Amino acid sequence: DMLMDSILFAEFLMWKEHPSLDRSSAFLSRIYREDIGPCLSFTRSELSHLVQSAVENNSLTIEPVAMSAVPMVKASAVECGGPKKCALSGLSRLCKHRIKLGDKESYYYISPSSRARITAVCNFFTYIRYIQQGLVRHDAEQMFWEIMRLRREMNVAKLGFYLTDQG
C-alpha cells in the first residue's frame, strides 16, 4: 500500500470543499507548477501558451491526419508544421495527429510525443472537471489516488515515454 503525502492530501481536501478550475488554490497552483506547466512547455513557447489556454478552456481538438490526403503545404503554413514536422517541438517527426485550437482555422501537426503530453494534461483536466461537476462518486482517498495517477502520467509523458498505437 502506498503512503499518502499528507501535505498533498490536505491541499486536495481543501480544494475539494469548493472545487474550481481557479489556479490560485494551493492544490492547483502546485499541479500547474510541477506538472501542467512543464508538460506543456514546448520549444515553440508562443504556441505552447495557446495550447495550454485551449486545454484549460476545453476547446482543443486532436484528430488523426489522413495520411493519404496530405495537402500541399503553402509557405505561409510553415509555423503549423506538417506531416513530417512537429509544430510544437520544431523537430522532424512523422506527425500522425494535428490539433486545432478553439474555432481557429489553422491546424498544427504534432508528433506522437507532443500528442502524449497534451493528452495527459487533457485527461487530468477532464477528471477534475468531473469532480467539480459532482460526477465522481468515489471517496476522497480514491479521488486523490486517481489524481496522483494522472499527475504521474503527465510526468511520464513529459519525459518522452508514451505508448505508440502498436502497444
Side-chain angles (χ1 to χ4, degrees):
D1 203 28
M2 292 185 284
L3 285 177
M4 186 176 285
D5 182 312
S6 54
I7 295 171
L8 297 180
F9 189 56
E11 288 176 353
F12 167 69
L13 289 177
M14 276 177 60
W15 174 81
K16 195 177 153 301
E17 290 293 301
H18 305 284
S20 89
L21 298 181
D22 174 20
R23 52 198 283 181
S24 64
S25 68
F27 167 71
L28 272 187
S29 78
R30 174 190 297 277
I31 294 174
Y32 264 96
R33 188 173 65 247
E34 296 178 359
D35 311 318
I36 296 168
C39 198
L40 292 183
S41 164
F42 296 96
T43 311
R44 303 273 313 283
S45 56
E46 225 171 290
L47 185 55
S48 298
H49 292 304
L50 294 174
V51 166
Q52 182 171 316
S53 298
V55 170
E56 291 169 348
N57 305 329
N58 206 7
S59 64
L60 180 139
T61 326
I62 301 184
E63 61 176 44
V65 175
M67 278 303 167
S68 54
V70 171
M72 292 301 293
V73 179
K74 298 189 294 296
S76 64
V78 170
E79 74 281 0
C80 298
K84 293 190 169 64
K85 185 170 186 173
C86 178
L88 282 161
S89 67
L91 297 173
S92 297
R93 295 282 184 275
L94 187 60
C95 299
K96 296 182 177 178
H97 290 83
R98 59 187 192 172
I99 54 173
K100 197 171 182 234
L101 309 176
D103 50 11
K104 303 274 189 299
E105 289 303 303
S106 309
Y107 283 97
Y108 298 93
Y109 289 82
I110 56 169
S111 65
S113 66
S114 296
R115 176 196 176 208
R117 288 164 64 170
I118 293 170
T119 303
V121 178
C122 287
N123 291 342
F124 169 77
F125 273 107
T126 297
Y127 188 66
I128 63 167
R129 277 192 200 101
Y130 285 162
I131 294 176
Q132 187 196 12
Q133 292 161 8
L135 301 174
V136 181
R137 293 281 168 255
H138 293 144
D139 63 32
E141 214 164 299
Q142 286 173 300
M143 285 183 198
F144 176 77
W145 284 120
E146 177 59 11
I147 284 166
M148 288 298 120
R149 189 189 69 75
L150 291 162
R151 292 188 66 185
R152 185 178 64 201
E153 291 301 311
M154 287 188 272
N155 283 283
V156 166
K158 175 182 75 188
L159 294 172
F161 296 101
Y162 56 91
L163 291 172
T164 59
D165 299 335
Q166 283 75 43

